[in-house]
């Protein structure tokens, strides 16, 4: 598990613990936004870790399209309810967008089962703070990936640069010495 994955897992666990939510997940959209993947799940969502879905799927699709938080106090009577037997016990859910700039890159969700739960304004603020932390972790990861790429590729053409050539030649010379 890499540093960002560990950070997101910790953010989810702490957020759910503070608001006393038994279930929840962090899910991310792919670069084109057409697929949603649950990366970390707790409770009823744990079985859905790494499950891929179209981004139009239920409440996730709504949050992706609007970029706004969605709280559903009584999920069983909600029009965006997903008919999935694994979600039959889901009663209340709050879903926050994880943003980078104006783009929604993922969501943080907390949910309750078997009993409708009214969420307080303080709990919403707590979740928003954890959502901001998750967004920062994702942004940091993207910046790191981009800087690693740019260290070995030309920014204009995307072709390997001199540093990449030197690294390749060093590896080949090492292989030739050892082989």
């Amino acid at each position: 598990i890499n540093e960002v994955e560990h950070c997101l897992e910790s953010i989810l666990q702490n957020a759910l613990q503070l608001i006393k939510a038994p279930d929840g997940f962090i899910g991310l959209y792919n670069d084109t936004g057409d697929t949603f993947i649950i990366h970390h799940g707790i409770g009823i969502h744990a079985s859905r870790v790494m499950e891929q879905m179209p981004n139009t799927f239920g409440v996730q699709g709504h949050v992706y399209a609007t970029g706004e938080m969605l709280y559903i106090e009584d999920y069983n009577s909600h029009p965006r309810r997903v008919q999935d037997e694994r979600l039959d016990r889901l009663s209340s859910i709050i879903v926050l967008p994880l943003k980078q700039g104006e783009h929604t890159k993922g969501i943080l969700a907390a949910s309750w089962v078997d009993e409708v739960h009214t969420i307080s304004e303080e709990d919403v603020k707590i979740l928003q703070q954890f959502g901001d932390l998750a967004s920062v972790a994702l942004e940091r990861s993207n910046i790191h990936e981009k800087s690693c790429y740019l260290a070995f590729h030309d920014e204009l053409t995307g072709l390997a640069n001199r540093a990449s050539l030197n690294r390749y030649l060093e590896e080949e010379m090492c292989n030739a010495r050892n082989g």
Side-chain angles (χ1 to χ4, degrees), residues 91-109:
S91 56
S92 301
I93 187 167
I94 183 167
V95 183
L96 288 91
L98 302 178
K99 291 188 166 192
Q100 291 179 349
E102 293 299 313
H103 302 287
T104 301
K105 296 295 183 177
I107 63 170
L108 168 62

Side-chain angles (χ1 to χ4, degrees), residues 147-160:
S147 64
C148 287
Y149 178 82
L150 290 176
F152 296 101
H153 295 84
D154 180 77
E155 187 174 5
L156 181 62
T157 64
L159 297 173

Side-chain angles (χ1 to χ4, degrees), residues 1-2 6 12-13 15 30 39 43 73-74 88-89 91 99 102 115 138:
I1 195 167
N2 69 32
H6 179 71
L12 176 63
Q13 289 175 352
N30 67 353
H39 283 265
E73 188 172 5
D74 185 3
D88 284 348
R89 295 179 54 212
S91 56
K99 291 188 166 192
E102 293 299 313
E115 189 174 313
L138 292 171

Side-chain angles (χ1 to χ4, degrees), residues 70-144:
L70 179 62
Y71 168 56
I72 303 170
E73 188 172 5
D74 185 3
Y75 184 73
N76 288 318
S77 63
H78 195 268
R80 292 188 194 277
R81 185 182 192 323
V82 175
Q83 299 303 319
D84 184 332
E85 65 184 35
R86 294 172 294 183
L87 301 177
D88 284 348
R89 295 179 54 212
L90 185 64
S91 56
S92 301
I93 187 167
I94 183 167
V95 183
L96 288 91
L98 302 178
K99 291 188 166 192
Q100 291 179 349
E102 293 299 313
H103 302 287
T104 301
K105 296 295 183 177
I107 63 170
L108 168 62
S111 59
W112 292 262
V113 294
D114 296 331
E115 189 174 313
V116 172
H117 179 83
T118 302
I119 192 164
S120 70
E121 193 172 311
E122 182 179 329
D123 286 346
V124 170
K125 287 179 184 176
I126 289 170
L127 275 177
Q128 287 173 331
Q129 289 172 344
F130 278 100
D132 290 345
L133 285 173
S135 293
V136 168
L138 292 171
E139 181 66 28
R140 181 175 176 224
S141 174
N142 287 341
I143 289 170
H144 177 71

